[in-house]
Amino acid sequence: MVKIKVELGKMIKLYMLLLVMIPCIMLGMRIFFIGNILPGLKEDFISNAVEGFFIGFNISLMILLFIKIMKIKIAIKNDEMMKKYYTFMNDERRVLIKTKSGIPLNIVNAYVIVLASHLFQGINIYISVTCLIIAVLMIFQMIILKFYYMKTM
């Protein structure tokens, strides 16, 4: 039981680190690459859409991380929930499905592509929009593969 608590505590620390890093990345991108801190309206709709997608993507990641942290904290307080959570985390079928559908790697790749899209916004808007489309397609592909492997395995 102590081993499970230590492992869940490490997960909470990792998620908290990610929860702090995302606003720092957003602020850093705004200060160093865009030049101002407050978002201003640009001259065209596509630039505003790219900016909005970047902010929305980061806020949704922060909300998902916050929900995950709260679930783990509730599970640590309740022994029965902690056992269920440990069983769920170490389920071999679920781990295999996540690995085959590429969930861990595709999430990181999609986030890096969204960051690149935001960075390329000032250089060429077409490259920026293409990067956003690729990131969205990677997420859809990951979800479709996950559901496919859940049905077949």
Side-chain angles (χ1 to χ4, degrees), residues 16-76:
M16 289 292 273
L17 178 68
L18 289 173
L19 195 61
V20 170
M21 280 178 46
I22 290 174
C24 292
I25 289 171
M26 289 174 63
L27 188 62
M29 290 287 284
R30 176 142 321 268
I31 290 173
F32 294 117
F33 296 114
I34 305 299
N36 57 355
I37 295 175
L38 298 174
L41 291 177
K42 297 181 178 67
E43 62 277 354
D44 57 347
F45 174 76
I46 298 175
S47 295
N48 289 333
V50 170
E51 181 79 20
F53 186 86
F54 177 71
I55 292 172
F57 192 77
N58 284 316
I59 288 175
S60 64
L61 279 177
M62 289 173 25
I63 290 170
L64 289 174
L65 283 171
F66 184 73
I67 291 171
K68 189 79 166 173
I69 290 170
M70 288 298 119
K71 282 183 179 181
I72 294 173
K73 283 186 177 184
I74 291 170
I76 286 177

